Amino acid sequence: LTAWLGAEAGFYGVRQEDEKQSIGLRALRPAARLASVLFLCFVGECCPPHLSEAKTQSLDTVVFLALVALVWTATHLTACEPSVLSRDQTEEWKGWMQLLFLLYHYFHCQQIYNVVRVFVSSYFWMTGFGNTLFFIRTGDFSPTRIVNVLWRLNLLTLCLAAVF
């Protein structure tokens, strides 16, 4: 957290839209953020500040927290474009699936294991679906776009593999 806050505070005055900045200076802030995240992952994995404890399985807690999130979301609804599987809809579903992934792993709730596996498959399908629709709508099949998509999807995985 300290590394992240230090990176944010150190580059607070730096504006990316300033055309006078060099490319290296504009890349420094995202690089500092990535380094901070990797550092936090390393510290959390290799030298945790607390002792490990056995996870407790609690389906009731998972359901309760999911319902709390559902009620909170219902009070903050916004309109989206009226189409089947629009970007807003798929992003919303991907967010709900991420919430259930976290609850499943945090509470070690084996009762929803099969549901989580289906959600993982659905998440990957929706990601591919969104990228495919973008490619079809824009006609941008340039190698630059394809490399950018692959880089964005795999960057954290590659960095974590390098750290651990």
Side-chain angles (χ1 to χ4, degrees), residues 28-39:
L28 193 57
R29 186 174 188 171
R33 283 183 177 170
L34 179 62
S36 300
V37 167
L38 291 174
F39 176 74

Side-chain angles (χ1 to χ4, degrees), residues 17 25 30 35 47 78 113 133 135-136 158:
E17 58 266 11
L25 187 59
C47 23
T78 58
Y113 174 79
L133 281 184
F135 283 131
I136 290 171
L158 292 172

Side-chain angles (χ1 to χ4, degrees), residues 21-31:
Q21 293 179 357
S22 68
I23 292 173
L25 187 59
R26 286 187 294 180
L28 193 57
R29 186 174 188 171

